[in-house]
Amino acid sequence: MTLKDIERETLLLTETGCSYRNLLAQSCHSSQVYPAHKIEFGSIEAIKQCVIAGLGISALPTMVVEEDLRENRLVELNWKSDIPPIFTRVAWHKDKWLSPPLQSFIELTKTTLKNTSNE
């Protein structure tokens, strides 16, 4: 599947300003690909449920669709893309007080990423 193939599909998009939506839009523009039907959502879960219902296709981060792919609710398309990978960073001021929930979030993130990188 190439970028040109999505012109005939309903493209389900995240809200304006989302980093991976911007990359997809830039890639479409540079390839002169203009999907005929686009629907914008404020919720990734809403996009996933619409894709599961067969209402269109979407480009979403792997981490938000992993379980749905494993459970065969979604299918990953074999798509050749020039869009670079996106990395997320978590940063905090070393001398600033961190609330217990924020500390827990940071520890959970570290543990999850450590386990993911070992797979």
Side-chain angles (χ1 to χ4, degrees):
M1 183 171 178
T2 65
L3 197 55
K4 191 75 173 162
D5 294 323
I6 71 170
E7 279 188 318
R8 297 182 303 271
E9 301 292 334
T10 298
L11 193 55
L12 308 176
L13 300 167
T14 54
E15 57 196 342
T16 303
C18 174
S19 59
Y20 48 92
R21 177 185 171 157
N22 291 342
L23 288 170
L24 179 60
Q26 290 169 2
S27 186
C28 285
H29 183 72
S30 66
S31 300
Q32 297 183 339
V33 170
Y34 306 100
H37 307 285
K38 298 182 279 189
I39 303 172
E40 182 178 304
F41 294 84
S43 161
I44 289 176
E45 188 60 33
I47 293 171
K48 288 183 355 180
Q49 293 306 314
C50 287
V51 172
I52 289 169
L55 299 177
I57 64 171
S58 187
L60 295 171
T62 302
M63 66 181 275
V64 301
V65 296
E66 283 177 325
E67 183 178 339
D68 296 295
L69 292 170
R70 269 194 313 277
E71 300 292 326
N72 295 315
R73 290 186 292 264
L74 292 174
V75 175
E76 184 174 8
L77 300 175
N78 185 15
W79 183 36
K80 293 172 179 46
S81 167
D82 62 346
I83 297 174
I86 299 171
F87 299 97
T88 301
R89 308 257 190 242
V90 176
W92 61 93
H93 190 285
K94 65 182 177 79
D95 296 327
K96 187 172 180 176
W97 179 82
L98 302 175
S99 69
L102 185 53
Q103 288 175 1
S104 294
F105 171 76
I106 291 168
E107 288 307 313
L108 178 63
T109 302
K110 285 179 179 179
T111 302
T112 301
L113 293 177
K114 190 181 302 179
N115 291 340
T116 303
S117 66
N118 292 333
E119 293 177 354

